[in-house]
């Protein structure tokens, strides 16, 4: 079943990495963290404009592995919540992309 | 390097090595290895230095310093420093600060490296190149080592070395440290002329997005073709991080760890014990009876032997954990454990040290270095000694055997095994409760975020595993060789003076016995007598010494001389006292080596003192309660 990536929130409600389920992708908009912490995430690849795909997770969904800039980084929900995203327009998930 | 340019006797053609006359620099005396974590830097370090490496601490910080000596093909030696894995050079963490200070020559204890080997993961080049910017800006001759070239090839990735070298103004080597490909290029760099890097452009170092853009540009100029995603990693993760299969595998792995401790290690332990027995018997037969022989046998051999006998267990456990770590699985285990750890205020990375502590707290505490959050790390260090280690196990086994008849509970479960399991659980619960208390109060974390990089799965190399095992066994044997040895000698002396008529005194009248009598009033409420008291004193240094001490005391006592230790203890302790003793050992901190390593890793006496005090109070209260509740 083809599905547009990103989410279908109405404009105005910010979406975050938390909203991504496994296989979903989004574009990072901004990181709502103080300078030092944000920098650490940016060094790992979480840069505004980067495409982030949600991967596997621990049972229960927390923490979850995110594929970004060639690496796989695991984040807790409390961090994922602070990474604001915008939909990844222009790409539709191909049939083989979801690994079920 | 000799050049036979003018010799006519040699028929073979000789390669004359290029040597620019004026700029020929002396070979580097010190070279530094720098790179992001998971770039295979350590594997390269092992390739270059082999057995000629050692691990120490940078003075003043709890950062590990790996140094080694690499031998160049022409026989000259080069000192290699393996710096901690860093993502950038903005000095925020201790690791990055130390790396920066070493590379700029600001550390008094380490000479400024004359050259740098920048190790990058070639399968993740676009991002790893970010580190090239601050490194090249140092102006130190640098070799860009693109590691994991085999993975790049196998996954259809590609990079134009010459173009990259031109962009960065520094030589580039394609290497697979794991398989040993391209290593001679690294040696050539170390042996050859060194020139400062002349990059075409460098970004503003403090601006992370700009740095990433620069890295991307450089990569594109070098016609970098990223490899296909690692299929095997995804496939394995679909099992290891499966909602049901994942935790199952995790539980199996933990079970396997304990199984290793209890069964697989046993024949090896028996082997070590046999070695000590045989050599001890030989000494007894060879040397005439004397105080020295008694010291050697009763003090050194018995004492040190009782520690060294654990070496197989420790090594097997660390071999197991080493395989898990090098293969990449441990990151997944930390991920699965995170939620549970978070409930007590810790995080997934604390899981591995706490698991290792079941073999020996000393190397376990050393492995907490991977926990970046200082408070989480301190909390993990403080609770690690609660885990039931083989030393405690020995004491438990003896007391349980002396007091608990072997029965089948519900027709299936062994009563003794159940008691043992209960004690394991007790230690674990005490650790967890202490963690919760610490993390809610004095070690309350700020808002540090949990980040864990999941490396691709790789086959561990025999060389890395072997070297790590060697390192661990050195740490462990140093413990036996120094601390325990010293303590056993002191104990032997205390038990054999003051001499009465040139012969050793009865244990009651020796210094050790006198001290035991002196503390008896304090331990009587716990149901212990002076003999147990002497045992407790000796066990302060190392838990298992109580067995030897009690064996000696009862052995010297004409009343209990002929019976075995279990019977002797059975007569000297009430059931309440036995439980009290078990609980005392479950909670007490009785390991000088642990205290020493905690002091080193936390950088002071504050934490080990607090830890010792807290555990002692807990042990005493627990034993007190047990002695009075159980009649």
């Amino acid at each position: 079943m083809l599905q547009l990536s990103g989410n279908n929130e109405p404009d105005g409600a910010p979406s975050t990495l938390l909203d991504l389920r496994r296989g979903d992708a989004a574009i990072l908009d901004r990181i709502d963290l103080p300078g030092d912490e944000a920098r650490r995430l940016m060094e790992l690849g979480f840069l505004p404009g980067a495409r982030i795909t949600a991967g596997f997770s621990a049972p229960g969904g927390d923490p979850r592995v995110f594929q970004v800039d060639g690496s796989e980084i695991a984040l807790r929900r409390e961090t994922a919540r602070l990474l604001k995203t915008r939909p990844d327009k222009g790409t539709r998930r191909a049939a083989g992309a979801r690994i079920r | 390097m000799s050049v036979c340019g003018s010799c006519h006797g040699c028929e073979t053609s000789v390669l004359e090595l290029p040597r620019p006359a004026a700029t020929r620099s002396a070979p580097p005396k010190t070279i530094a290895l720098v790179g992001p974590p998971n770039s295979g830097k350590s594997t390269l370090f092992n390739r270059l230095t082999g057995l000629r490496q050692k691990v120490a601490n940078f003075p003043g910080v709890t950062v590990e310093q790996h140094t080694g000596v690499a031998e160049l093909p022409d026989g000259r030696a080069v000192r290699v420093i393996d710096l901690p894995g860093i993502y950038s050079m903005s000095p925020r963490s201790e690791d990055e600060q130390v790396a920066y200070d070493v590379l700029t020559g600001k550390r008094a204890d380490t000479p400024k490296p004359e050259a740098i080997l920048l190790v990058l993961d070639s399968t993740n080049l676009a991002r790893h190149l970010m580190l090239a910017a601050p490194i090249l800006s140092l102006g130190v001759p640098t070799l860009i080592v693109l590691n994991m070239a085999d993975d790049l090839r196998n996954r259809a990735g590609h990079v134009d070395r010459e173009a990259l070298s031109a962009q960065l103004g520094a030589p580039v080597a394609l290497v697979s440290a794991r398989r040993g490909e391209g290593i001679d290029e690294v040696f050539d760099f170390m042996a050859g002329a060194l020139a400062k890097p002349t990059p075409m452009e460098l970004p503003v170092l403090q601006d992370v997005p700009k740095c990433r853009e620069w890295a991307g540009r450089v990569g594109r100029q070098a016609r970098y073709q990223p490899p296909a995603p690692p299929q095997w990693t995804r496939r394995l993760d679909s099992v290891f991080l499966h909602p049901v299969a994942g935790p199952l595998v995790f539980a199996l792995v933990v079970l396997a760890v304990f199984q290793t401790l209890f069964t697989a290690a046993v024949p090896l332990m028996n082997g070590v014990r046999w070695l000590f027995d045989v050599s001890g018997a030989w000494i007894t037969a060879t040397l005439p009876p004397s105080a020295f022989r008694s010291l050697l046998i009763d003090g050194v051999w018995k004492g040190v032997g009782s520690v060294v006998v654990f070496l197989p267990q420790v090594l097997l456990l660390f071999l197991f954990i080493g395989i898990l770590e090098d293969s990449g699985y441990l990151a997944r285990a930390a991920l699965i454990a995170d939620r549970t750890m978070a409930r007590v205020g810790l995080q997934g990375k604390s899981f591995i040290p706490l698991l290792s502590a079941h073999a020996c707290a000393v190397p376990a505490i050393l492995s907490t270095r991977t926990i970046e959050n200082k408070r989480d790390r301190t909390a993990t260090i403080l609770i690690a000694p609660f885990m039931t280690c083989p030393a405690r196990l020995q004491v438990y086994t003896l007391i349980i055997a002396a007091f608990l008849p072997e029965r089948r509970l519900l027709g299936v479960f062994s009563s003794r095994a159940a008691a043992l399991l209960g004690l394991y659980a007790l230690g674990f619960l005490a650790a967890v409760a202490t963690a919760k208390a610490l993390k809610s109060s004095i070690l309350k974390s700020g808002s540090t975020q949990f980040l864990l990089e999941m490396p691709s799965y790789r086959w561990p190399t025999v060389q890395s595993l072997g070297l790590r095992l060697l390192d661990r066994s050195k740490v462990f044997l140093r413990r036996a060789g120094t601390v325990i040895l010293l303590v056993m000698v002191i104990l032997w002396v205390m038990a054999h003076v003051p001499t009465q008529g040139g012969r050793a005194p009865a244990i009651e009248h020796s210094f050790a016995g006198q001290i035991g009598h002196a503390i008896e009033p304090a331990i009587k409420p716990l149901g212990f007598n002076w003999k147990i008291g002497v045992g407790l004193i000796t066990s302060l240094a190392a838990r298992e010494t109580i067995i030897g001490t009690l064996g000696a005391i009862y052995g010297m006592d004409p009343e209990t001389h002929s019976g075995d230790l279990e019977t002797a203890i059975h007569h000297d302790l009430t059931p309440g006292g036995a439980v009290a003793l078990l609980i005392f050992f479950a909670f007490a901190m009785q390991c000088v080596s642990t205290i020493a390593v905690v002091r080193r890793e936390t950088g002071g006496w504050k934490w080990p003192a607090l830890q010792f005090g807290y555990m002692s109070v807990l042990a005493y209260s627990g034993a007190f309660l047990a002695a009075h509740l159980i009649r």
Side-chain angles (χ1 to χ4, degrees):
Chain A
M1 182 180 88
L2 272 178
Q3 209 175 315
L4 282 171
S5 22
N7 58 73
N8 300 314
E9 303 280 299
D11 282 31
S15 31
T16 72
L17 274 186
L18 256 191
D19 302 316
L20 297 182
R21 285 164 302 141
R22 183 149 72 84
D24 291 350
I27 304 285
L28 183 65
D29 205 38
R30 66 176 191 278
I31 305 175
D32 283 349
L33 276 168
D36 261 4
E37 319 247 2
R39 206 205 151 98
R40 183 103 166 76
L41 280 164
M42 288 203 284
E43 283 165 3
L44 285 172
F46 290 93
L47 287 159
R51 184 156 180 268
I52 305 177
T53 311
F56 294 106
S57 73
D62 183 23
R64 182 173 288 283
V65 180
F66 292 98
Q67 289 141 22
V68 58
D69 203 0
S71 305
E72 306 209 324
I73 315 281
L75 302 175
R76 282 184 179 167
R77 288 175 71 86
E78 63 201 31
T79 311
R81 180 174 296 134
L82 301 170
L83 273 69
K84 305 291 192 273
T85 60
R86 55 176 191 269
D88 183 18
K89 297 191 175 66
T91 64
R92 282 150 143 239
R93 236 179 317 160
R98 240 179 198 256
I99 315 144
R100 277 267 177 245
Chain B
M1 288 186 236
S2 64
V3 177
C4 323
S6 57
C7 173
H8 300 290
C10 209
E11 294 304 310
T12 58
S13 61
V14 173
L15 182 68
E16 186 170 326
L17 291 154
R19 194 188 301 185
T23 60
R24 168 85 176 84
S25 34
K29 303 195 194 67
T30 311
I31 235 184
L33 263 165
V34 180
N38 297 320
S39 56
K41 191 166 52 69
S42 309
T43 316
L44 180 64
F45 179 72
N46 288 339
R47 280 269 170 206
L48 296 176
T49 60
L51 286 169
R52 302 171 68 182
Q53 56 171 274
K54 63 178 172 70
V55 182
N57 243 47
F58 278 106
V61 290
T62 54
V63 176
E64 244 174 17
Q65 178 190 52
H66 291 249
T67 51
V69 176
E71 197 174 296
L72 297 177
D74 57 23
R76 283 173 303 164
V78 169
R79 191 167 147 214
V80 184
I81 303 178
D82 187 13
L83 292 173
I86 53 175
Y87 288 110
S88 74
M89 295 255 282
S90 62
R92 292 167 301 113
S93 71
E94 262 183 347
D95 280 0
E96 283 160 357
Q97 183 71 58
V98 167
Y100 180 77
D101 287 345
V102 169
L103 291 172
T104 51
K106 289 204 178 80
R107 282 204 73 94
D109 50 70
T110 315
K112 179 175 176 190
E114 278 122 30
I116 296 176
L117 297 175
L118 177 61
V119 183
L120 306 175
D121 181 358
S122 64
T123 62
N124 207 347
L125 193 58
R127 187 158 59 74
H128 277 204
L129 272 175
M130 273 172 67
L131 186 56
I135 296 291
L136 292 173
S137 67
L138 292 173
V140 177
T142 304
L143 174 69
I144 314 281
V145 179
L146 301 182
N147 201 3
M148 290 145 184
D150 52 338
D151 279 345
L152 185 70
R153 240 187 358 251
N154 295 338
R155 282 153 52 187
H158 176 74
V159 65
D160 184 343
R161 271 215 288 174
E162 269 82 45
L164 184 64
S165 181
Q167 284 285 309
L168 298 176
V172 171
L174 258 179
V175 157
S176 168
R178 213 159 52 87
R179 305 176 90 219
E181 296 169 8
I183 307 291
D184 25 325
E185 289 184 46
V186 179
F187 278 111
D188 286 345
F189 169 77
M190 293 198 285
L194 299 170
K196 289 191 188 212
T198 51
M200 285 194 175
E201 59 156 331
L202 280 179
V204 175
L205 295 178
Q206 301 313 314
D207 189 333
V208 182
K210 286 280 187 299
C211 268
R212 178 65 183 86
E213 275 174 45
W214 170 84
R217 269 202 304 276
V218 170
R220 277 190 297 276
Q221 293 290 347
R223 286 192 288 276
Y224 177 61
Q225 173 79 14
Q231 285 291 47
W232 269 109
T233 301
R234 298 278 159 85
R235 284 192 195 127
L236 286 170
D237 271 346
S238 67
V239 175
F240 292 147
L241 291 178
H242 188 272
V244 175
L248 227 73
V249 171
F250 179 82
L252 276 171
V253 165
V254 172
L255 240 84
V257 163
F258 285 102
Q259 191 67 353
T260 314
L261 284 179
F262 286 132
T263 53
V266 169
L268 294 166
M269 288 171 71
N270 289 339
V272 175
R273 200 173 279 127
W274 176 84
L275 268 169
F276 269 89
D277 286 342
V278 161
S279 50
W282 180 84
I283 292 181
T284 311
T286 319
L287 291 181
S290 67
F292 176 70
R293 187 183 83 169
S294 167
L295 170 65
L296 209 55
I297 298 296
D298 297 325
V300 177
W301 242 246
K302 283 221 173 58
V304 173
S306 68
V307 170
V308 175
V309 91
F310 292 134
L311 187 66
Q313 261 182 342
V314 173
L315 284 185
L316 265 176
L317 186 81
F318 282 105
L319 177 66
F320 201 79
I321 291 186
I323 293 175
L324 293 177
E325 190 171 2
D326 283 359
S327 65
Y329 177 75
L330 226 48
R332 277 79 183 170
L335 190 71
I336 296 177
D338 185 60
R339 192 94 173 276
T340 319
M341 297 269 116
R343 271 200 210 115
V344 294
L346 293 173
Q347 41 142 312
K349 286 188 207 164
S350 304
F351 162 73
I352 294 115
L354 292 180
L355 187 66
S356 327
H358 284 95
C360 180
V362 173
I365 289 173
L366 288 175
S367 69
T368 58
R369 283 172 174 173
T370 55
I371 305 173
E372 296 122 357
N373 184 325
K374 204 153 189 174
R375 288 174 177 210
D376 280 353
R377 181 162 176 244
T378 309
T380 311
I381 290 175
L382 291 178
I383 66 173
F386 276 118
M387 300 305 167
T388 308
C389 72
R392 276 198 179 99
L393 185 62
Q394 269 203 322
V395 179
Y396 291 167
T397 311
L398 176 69
I399 309 225
I400 290 175
F403 278 88
L404 194 63
E406 177 69 10
R407 264 202 291 267
R408 292 273 142 192
L409 304 171
L410 305 175
V412 176
F413 303 108
S414 147
S415 58
R416 284 182 178 170
L420 215 56
L421 214 69
L423 285 164
Y424 263 88
L426 189 66
F428 182 78
L429 286 169
V432 160
T434 309
K436 190 101 210 240
L438 283 171
K439 291 293 288 176
S440 326
S441 55
I442 48 180
L443 285 179
K444 201 172 187 140
S445 269
S447 56
T448 340
Q449 307 295 320
F450 172 82
L451 294 167
L452 186 59
E453 185 167 352
M454 299 276 136
S456 307
Y457 286 105
R458 311 216 126 88
W459 283 111
T461 60
V462 175
Q463 198 191 26
S464 311
L465 286 175
L467 284 168
R468 186 197 275 110
L469 277 185
L470 202 67
D471 181 53
R472 294 264 180 266
S473 44
K474 274 197 225 161
V475 165
F476 188 77
L477 286 174
R478 205 174 298 144
R479 168 191 183 218
T482 54
V483 175
I484 305 291
L485 182 63
L486 193 68
V487 169
M488 292 317 278
V489 169
I490 293 175
L491 284 176
W492 182 91
V493 168
M494 303 255 280
H496 283 78
V497 294
T499 56
Q500 293 174 333
R503 296 175 65 233
I507 192 85
E508 269 205 283
H509 304 297
S510 67
F511 277 150
Q514 286 172 27
I515 296 177
H517 278 287
I519 69 163
E520 200 176 22
I523 57 174
K524 220 163 177 104
L526 306 179
F528 305 156
N529 62 16
W530 68 270
K531 294 177 197 153
I532 307 279
V534 178
L536 284 183
I537 293 171
T538 62
S539 68
L540 266 180
R543 303 187 167 90
E544 61 270 38
T545 60
I546 189 175
I547 300 177
T549 311
L550 288 179
I553 294 179
Y554 289 120
M556 290 192 213
D557 189 338
E559 279 180 20
T560 52
H561 178 76
S562 49
D564 64 24
L565 187 54
E566 285 172 24
T567 328
I569 294 180
H570 188 91
H571 284 127
D572 240 12
L573 276 175
T574 63
V579 176
L581 193 59
L582 285 172
I583 293 187
F584 191 90
F585 269 81
F587 293 152
M589 186 166 194
Q590 299 156 297
C591 186
V592 181
S593 326
T594 307
I595 296 180
V597 86
V598 172
R599 189 205 71 79
R600 198 177 85 159
E601 293 299 298
T602 58
W605 283 106
K606 174 178 95 168
W607 288 115
L610 191 78
Q611 187 181 30
F612 182 77
Y614 169 70
M615 290 179 83
S616 306
V617 167
L618 199 65
Y620 193 90
S621 340
F624 185 86
L625 274 171
H628 286 262
L629 290 175
I630 302 170
R631 293 267 164 217

